[in-house]
Amino acid sequence: MALISVQYLGQLGTRVPSREELDAAFLKARQETGPRDRAMQPQPPQFVTVAPAQLPWLAKTAAATSHGRVKVIVPQVSLAEGMNEAMRQISDTHPITKKPLYFVIIHVSRQRGTEFCVVVAGPIQARMLLESRFSIPECFKEISYQIITGKVHLLHTHFKRNSTENVDHDVLLDEFSNALKKNVFLPFNGKKEDKIAENLATSMTPHSVQNTTPEEFKLHPVQIAVAMKVLSQVCAIADSDQLALDLGRFSKVDLLIITAPSLVLHQQTIERVAQSGLLVDLGLEENSTVKAAEKYVMRCDKAPDTQTKFENFVSRVKAYPYTLFVLIQDQAHIDINRHSFGAQPLGLADRYINCQEVLKSANVLTLQVTPTPYVLQTKKSRLPPQNEIYMPTCVNQMTNVPPPEKVYFGLQDYIKTTEWTGRLPLLRYDPAFEQAADTLLEAYPRLYSLIIRTYLLIRQYTSALMSLSGIKGTKQETTTEAYNMLADMVNLPMKNSYGKGCMVLLRIPSIQLALLAHERLRSVRDKLGLQYRFDVLLSSMTTEFSLDDHFLSRLQSWHGRDKTWQPKTYEDLADLPCIMILSGQHTAGETWPKSLRYCDLRLVNCGVLDRTTVEQEIGLVCQYIDIENIHKAVTVCELSEEEDSDTDDTEGEEGEPEASIPTVPGNVPLPGPPALEPIAKSSLLDGDTSHRDTLSSHSQPDMSSKTQSTPMSTLEMHLKAPVDIPLRDPEPSHRIPAMSSVTDPSQVKVEDQTSESSEDKNTFADSPPPVLRIDWKLGTDEDGDEEEDTSGMDMKRLQGTPPVILVSKAAMCVLKPDAHHSADRLTYFNLPATRDTVWVSAVHPSLQPSMSNEMRSLFYRQWMEPKNYHYDYERKVENTTQPHHPRRLLLCGPHQVGKTGAFLHFARVLSRMLIRLQEVEVYDEEEINLEDIASLLLPPPPPPSPSAKWPDFELINQMSFDATVHLGRLSQVSPIHGTNMKPKSTTGAVERPTTSMMMSQYSAHNAFHHCDQCQHYKDIQLPEAQQARTHRFTFTSTMYGEDLEMQFVIPPQQEKHFVFNHSTGQLESMLLPVISEKGPNAIKTPIFTPTSGRHEHGLINLFHAMGGAKHLHVLVVKQTEMMLYKKQWPNHILLVLPAVANDTGSGAAKFFIKELAYHNLELERNRQQELGVRRQDVWPFILLLDDSCVMWHCHDAGKQEDGKDTLVTLREVIEHVESTPKLSNFSMFGIRQWTSKNYTRSMQQNFSRNHLHNMVFINVDLTQNVQYDQNRYFGEEVDFNMRINSSKFVMCRFNQFSVMMKHINVGGQKEFPIHPKSGKTNQEISPQQFVCAPDSEDMTPLMATPQYLLEKYLSCMSAEKLFPLAVTNPHCPVLVVDYYIDLGPSVTVHYASSKPHSVNSEVSNLRFSGLLLYMVDSFVFAEFLKEFKFMSGAKLCLISPDRNTLRRQVVRLELEEQWRFRLRDEFQTANSPEDKPLFLLTGTHVE
């Protein structure tokens, strides 16, 4: 390590290394000397050492090549002895002795091992390292001390002593001011040298601007995409296992935006909020005004109104638990101090965003927004890494979407311009200024460097203004860069009648130095008579800028405002010619006007360099530019050698020689980005410095007038040479490679430049880079006067190009791309992330440029930890179960990319989503077939009668059964004869109408709902879920004729609902209560929910719907879906159907539920009978509940006119039904489906006797001999209701209750895709192909069950193929026996039951047009069929499971006596033999 340090110091030469460069060098030394396999470990490795006796000798050998700049001292006793010797040599005043710049002291001993240290003796090097150790407050304190003690006067004396001909600026200014004689330069619109009386200048008013409408608030596609990405992450938080956020409980969004303590940013954010209309969209305010927006934007300072705003926010958080509050901290990287650490006002952000009220409130979501997130990405960060959202600069557009109008030009684009060869780069440094500054720094080692650089820069500004005013002899006191900047600012107002110009931003971090600069520049401006040409402003975070009166009136005229208007943001200063001095430690992300043309950052980053500061300062001027400005080409003009030589000697306007431009033969178009070829012979990045002027005579001798040439204005170059700027992604690893700007590089001649000495060849030299000859002529006449028509064009071009940035040489060294890819060079990517964090270990890996944002975040989180004043410093993350705050997010993106618009839009879409989550699409279908049903209804009882709450069994039994189907979704089924259902000629699917309803606190929910209340209901811990036992049981089914196995999956918490054998643990039965059981939570009816394909979307969570009451809920699922439901609903009981039901419809699930329920009822009766309970006292009812039932309503018949329902819980509905008198006499109960479309007389009656759907209570004891059709896919409920009625059982519908059915577009297995079993799966299959002739070679086997194909064929093709005489002929219906089957809306059917003791309607006067015998059983006899009369030509359709059964039924039922059959009348469903197709036989009736 010591040897590497000596070698490195020897290679530095006279160059002054920065602290970051030294740290990077020592880090690399440690990495190379440490073991390779330990390089990634946080603890420092054991370094490889040499023999102690060899180390001093090797170190001195290495230092011998440094030419005396490095000296090695080997003390005998200790390091202190060596340091004493070093100090003695430093203090030696011998004039001949050349003092070393560095002393390396090496001490070797057996007790302490090898020790070494480095003493920096060079004054410039020592100053650099000493100042880099200062904190920002210490830096400002030292500057204040030197200003107060008058040490700045040394610089004034120096320049007065060394200036040309002893010219004093103050003397020249006073002489020039006296010569003006109360005249001033013309403010605007004229020749730049014209002067007028001051009273006339005061009265000059610019032309009014035609369009004063402020720019509308628009969202870029990037902002919309990022807002949706943040919203997606919020949804991910809500869906996570941590249950940190329950979006379902919130119905509204409120917000508070905390800005940095910047007056400008605060006002800018208020205006953005007001312009966006967000507060109106959130329902927080009625009007979107600035005054209304002020309540929701808070500065992070100690003002009383700030504390009041936050206290009000906290009180709202506590008062409104169902409102989701979004706390947004903009510029979150600025104040990271702990509130309890240091002096105020530091730590205010910690006081607000990390207070316990915010951290622990479940209804607060914190969003931190920053362009530089590194200070928040540490080992102790509160932010979960998955909650970081990175904002890109562009998004992929669809092919049919037009390209964006603007593109982002950011830091990486500025860095890329340093490779330009055809024009000056937009990011550069001033070599002349740096050379003069180095000279002064060496001459005055005790003065703070920032003071020297500030004084020097202000003097150059002063010299440039004096030269522009016509004072001779001052041009050499400035530099080309300073002169060009101020020339553009001073001269541009003269080219238009509005007085518009450009802004020059001068960044001075120290407020003391900024005050001095502001005072000096204003004084110089006033003495030069330019006080009406441009303004000099001073601004910082905590101070407001103030304008001169005439400039304020000019702005008011431009904006169309009255005299009371004051500019409050930097954007309000658009087009104002001014020098803006910006002071303060930080910049707060304020948006600057488009008229900002130059950003002077030469006084920033002179001490400590870190990535946050570099990005923050350069990000000041990053912006969106018009896309039309990146498609224009630069033309290289043809000039001969003679023209070249003439051009060098030709003087331009006012006797000033023009800049020399190198020769390029031919007219070479530059179609792509402007000359992005790397510079071949030089790595220099400065501008056109071939005519560089110097500051003082001691650094450069006096030059003639020709050498003091003024190059053409840089701004004019930009105006006349708009170029193609490549659009890039912010990720360095995905950047578009630069295109060559010249088709044939051999055609371009490059001037040879003389390099510097070999000692400094790796640094930036002072010689200019080679440039291409480009025609930079402006559209001016020979006299230099602009045409008035072109002024607007110039302003437009001015605002269409990015500003020019001037940085210090130290910053340029790390920003410039490394042409040689040197691994030793300190680059922008391996700078320290921020000053507020430290490395976990002295040995750590280096950050790679190819890392993505996510990888970079993980890198910082692993290797960086906060300093002791950081608000995350005291956090304990090692032994905590939740190391991060789950409801905190980070939005980061490049500067000025549009993060404010993104998070404002996020709040808007979050509110829309919450409203959408609280809304549910429910079916709103009008009940059909309601005409003339009054005679079937129970007369309404007297209002005071208490019996109106429950049905009277005798009265209901006297009512006729209304077989009319009133449910809207069944409007296309076959009409039932004897009702007012009318046949329809239309067929096909009908769109079911829906409406949006707000969910209530009593709603049923799907798997995406999370809240603290129902957490225990839905989820259990993983170990407990693994303990869920599966119990298999077998029962004999007469329908299937075999023993079938079913399974119960019972979680541990649900075992209380079952009875197990004490010895074997086998499941014996499911507990049933007794009829007389009562209690606050006595829900006696078991709830069965058949569900398929809806493990996520099915409304299975009934906790809120049941009002928290205890109940038994069983999910009935297929074997193929058991694992899906078990994973999604681990705390629910699953009833797994037999394997034969895997491909069946809803009829099979209800069949098995009823079979199991009756089987369990018998088991419970036997068990409880042994305990002394009567068999008839065991609860006989079950509830079949559809998985789309969402909310329940109670309708008061006395308030029918207003049509309003009262929301009730499912628990209230069940308890009301369970309280019905003579309950056991009823076979079924149900409620109606909700609709808002009609309130008929059926709803005026509390009870009716008709079809029941969706939510059905079944008395399994009374209906034990009536079953659902296990084969049915459609219409199983109507079929079951018809069987119940024909069996003389009484069913009742509670009309005062209604259930809302949610529209769920997944699962349910109502429809299946039908496609061929082999071949093209997308082949269209018509219903005619569902059946075919048996053993037909033309048959196409289909991938569908035979029963499904049969039902679809009957509903679609019965009218055309099977029963043509029944079409729209309700008086001659089709007779269906024992089964109601849909034959299409145009075919009327008559239902007849063959069961003994069944009730059928009178048919003596009916002649039927057809007969459908579907799966006839033994109860159907030939004598039964002979009771019915058929018209001539009536059709018969006999359906059986196989061909043999088909023929036996024909013989057994004696069908051949009245029906004629042909061989071609036999069909089968289009299934292969292994799928067991169903067979159909058709015939025609004969008299």
Side-chain angles (χ1 to χ4, degrees), residues 380-383 875-878 880-885:
K380 299 182 179 181
S381 176
R382 301 173 191 263
L383 283 157
R875 294 194 68 235
K876 307 297 182 183
V877 296
E878 289 79 8
T880 57
T881 57
Q882 197 174 48
H884 304 108
H885 192 280

Side-chain angles (χ1 to χ4, degrees), residues 81 106 404 408 450 613 616 620 654 752 755 959 1072 1096 1098 1190 1231 1313 1339 1447 1481:
E81 178 187 359
I106 303 175
Y408 181 75
L450 187 56
T613 306
Q616 179 178 275
L620 276 172
E654 298 183 0
D752 294 331
S755 62
M959 295 176 60
L1072 292 177
E1096 290 183 337
V1190 59
I1231 63 177
M1339 182 186 69
R1447 292 180 173 86
L1481 179 64

Side-chain angles (χ1 to χ4, degrees), residues 974-1032:
S974 295
I976 300 175
H977 184 263
T979 67
N980 58 349
M981 300 176 65
K982 298 178 181 179
K984 303 176 182 178
S985 58
T986 59
T987 58
V990 177
E991 184 178 357
R992 301 178 63 184
T994 62
T995 186
S996 294
M997 299 291 293
M998 291 295 296
M999 297 185 71
S1000 71
Q1001 55 182 330
Y1002 308 131
S1003 302
H1005 296 279
N1006 55 25
F1008 299 108
H1009 172 77
H1010 302 280
C1011 74
D1012 297 335
Q1013 296 177 344
C1014 64
Q1015 176 183 355
H1016 66 282
Y1017 177 83
K1018 178 182 180 295
D1019 299 318
I1020 56 178
Q1021 298 295 328
L1022 181 60
E1024 192 175 2
Q1026 294 175 347
Q1027 296 175 7
R1029 293 191 294 173
T1030 301
H1031 301 271
R1032 294 176 172 84

Side-chain angles (χ1 to χ4, degrees), residues 903-921:
F903 67 66
L904 291 179
H905 188 60
F906 158 69
R908 179 182 288 107
V909 296
L910 176 62
S911 175
R912 292 175 182 172
M913 186 194 70
L914 292 184
I915 295 175
R916 185 62 180 170
L917 288 177
Q918 294 299 319
E919 289 182 348
V920 59
E921 288 290 324

Side-chain angles (χ1 to χ4, degrees), residues 734-799:
H734 303 288
R735 305 189 70 78
I736 303 174
M739 298 173 57
S740 175
S741 61
V742 180
T743 306
D744 186 4
S746 61
Q747 296 180 2
V748 182
K749 295 182 180 180
V750 180
E751 290 187 352
D752 294 331
Q753 302 293 335
T754 305
S755 62
E756 295 285 347
S757 62
S758 59
E759 179 177 313
D760 296 332
K761 63 183 179 180
N762 292 328
T763 64
F764 289 99
D766 293 334
S767 57
V771 295
L772 299 178
R773 177 179 298 281
I774 300 177
D775 183 13
W776 299 116
K777 290 184 179 180
L778 283 170
T780 61
D781 55 11
E782 295 180 358
D783 295 331
D785 295 333
E786 286 285 346
E787 295 286 344
E788 186 172 349
D789 297 339
T790 64
S791 60
M793 185 181 300
D794 289 340
M795 291 301 302
K796 184 177 180 180
R797 290 176 178 175
L798 179 147
Q799 297 183 2

